[in-house]
Amino acid sequence: MKEKPRNDISKYVKQRRKQSKLTQPEMALKAGVGLRFVRDLEQGKNTLRMDKVNDVLRLFGETLGVVPLDRDKILGNE
């Protein structure tokens, strides 16, 4: 089975959790989310509740936000 590539948020959360020396269960408890949610987040699941993602990100002083993209590059109009 082909491994699903992880997104930037999942990589960031896993890296910060390890830097903070937290296990997945510890992070779930501190963030007030379920262990299954933490595992899904770190594995790069495409559909997650943004409020819960923010609950986890707040542990590291971060939040979700809008990031501008180059529309021409995305649409191939370079």
Side-chain angles (χ1 to χ4, degrees):
M1 186 174 201
K2 193 173 185 179
E3 185 177 321
K4 183 171 35 171
R6 286 187 284 155
N7 58 41
D8 290 339
I9 293 175
S10 65
K11 290 176 190 174
Y12 175 81
V13 167
K14 187 171 187 175
Q15 178 184 23
R16 291 299 307 267
R17 175 179 62 79
K18 288 185 173 194
Q19 286 174 347
S20 300
K21 297 182 178 14
L22 292 171
T23 64
Q24 287 180 334
E26 290 168 338
M27 185 169 77
L29 186 63
K30 286 182 179 286
V33 299
L35 177 57
R36 172 73 182 261
F37 179 83
V38 168
R39 289 180 174 157
D40 286 346
L41 175 59
E42 287 191 0
Q43 290 174 5
K45 183 177 178 185
N46 291 328
T47 54
L48 293 169
R49 287 182 41 182
M50 288 190 291
D51 61 329
K52 288 187 174 189
V53 173
N54 274 326
D55 289 341
V56 172
L57 290 175
R58 277 189 204 99
L59 290 175
F60 310 116
E62 303 288 347
T63 188
L64 291 174
V66 178
V67 177
L69 299 173
D70 184 346
R71 283 182 47 92
D72 289 334
K73 189 174 184 179
I74 293 169
L75 299 174
N77 297 331
E78 293 186 80

